[in-house]
Amino acid sequence: MGKQAHIVWDWNGTLFHDIDAVIQATNASFAEIGLAPITLERYRELYCVPVPKFYERLMGRLPTAEEWVVMDEAFHRHYWAFAESAGLADGADRLLGEWQDAGLTQSMCSLAPHDRLLPIVRTHGIEERFVRVDGRVGDSTDGKALQMARHLAALSEVDPARAVVIGDAVDDALAAAHVGALAVLYTGGSHSRASLAVAGVPVVDTLADAVAEAERLVA
């Protein structure tokens, strides 16, 4: 037997299949500030972290501080309404259960606000699958790297070299690299396959393939 992987799951767009809610909220917030709606394909081509950079790609310039406040508030107001009808990604519950039942560990590191993340994870009945769940604290629009460092530092029993981050964004791979972990990226969320490929890590189309790839990377 090789080493055993510890999986660090992303939430939005990975375990939580909320991309439809994201597009609906994005277009609802765009309507409030006079921007044209965007398609899923276009969103996946342009989306990036930090999020103001995404708006720069759309608008041709960075939003002003005042515009960012309006955009951010409008998006989240619409998102949390639409997210109520979103569910877990296909096979997510089963995969989480099988990983835990095999005696393996997994955690969650998300940029969703921590105070909103925990209730929705509990609503979907999967909180007990994770040894730790961390959402974002504060209003930072930066990427996940520093949060990932804090997340793994709190998991003192986990060697970062055997941790595999599974997420749907290039930023997940960057966060993994920041802490010396591995990464697998999933095409079911915010990025197109082509935009994920630039990260130089395995890209897969199902969460089952992501778990299998995590095992292969650490074996």
Side-chain angles (χ1 to χ4, degrees):
M1 290 274 302
K3 294 182 294 182
Q4 294 179 327
H6 170 88
I7 294 178
V8 180
W9 291 97
D10 173 56
W11 175 243
N12 300 101
T14 304
L15 289 175
F16 191 45
H17 186 68
D18 64 346
I19 188 62
D20 295 329
V22 167
I23 297 302
Q24 289 174 301
T26 297
N27 285 331
S29 63
F30 280 6
E32 292 193 17
I33 58 176
L35 290 177
I38 189 172
T39 64
L40 172 60
E41 291 73 22
R42 185 66 172 155
Y43 182 93
R44 283 175 164 163
E45 287 175 6
L46 296 178
Y47 183 74
C48 62
V49 175
V51 177
K53 189 72 175 177
F54 167 58
Y55 286 111
E56 180 182 22
R57 292 179 175 185
L58 283 170
M59 301 168 66
R61 62 175 176 81
L62 278 171
T64 66
E66 293 77 12
E67 287 172 329
W68 167 248
V69 169
V70 172
M71 291 175 176
D72 191 52
E73 186 281 329
F75 171 82
H76 285 97
R77 173 164 37 86
H78 290 293
Y79 170 79
W80 289 108
F82 289 124
E84 291 183 5
S85 60
L88 296 178
D90 185 38
D93 194 15
R94 175 182 55 81
L95 288 166
L96 292 172
E98 290 176 349
W99 193 261
Q100 183 184 40
D101 291 345
L104 303 173
T105 59
Q106 56 198 334
S107 58
M108 184 190 299
C109 182
S110 171
L111 288 178
H114 190 74
D115 61 346
R116 303 297 295 264
L117 177 64
L118 284 182
I120 198 167
V121 169
R122 288 170 182 157
T123 295
H124 289 281
I126 57 173
E127 183 183 12
E128 74 279 2
R129 303 297 189 192
F130 306 102
V131 295
R132 186 176 181 88
V133 174
D134 283 322
R136 175 174 55 82
V137 177
D139 297 323
S140 173
T141 60
D142 294 334
K144 192 182 282 186
L146 294 180
Q147 182 169 323
M148 185 65 70
R150 291 190 292 269
H151 180 74
L152 283 181
L155 295 171
S156 57
E157 73 280 8
V158 175
D159 177 2
R162 69 175 183 86
V164 182
V165 176
I166 296 179
D168 70 313
V170 171
D171 187 55
D172 291 301
L174 295 175
H178 179 73
V179 297
L182 301 162
V184 178
L185 298 181
Y186 164 62
T187 61
S190 60
H191 281 43
S192 67
R193 172 175 280 275
S195 61
L196 291 176
V198 304
V201 303
V203 177
V204 299
D205 296 319
T206 70
L207 293 185
D209 286 344
V211 171
E213 192 66 22
E215 291 181 297
R216 185 193 67 80
L217 288 173
V218 176

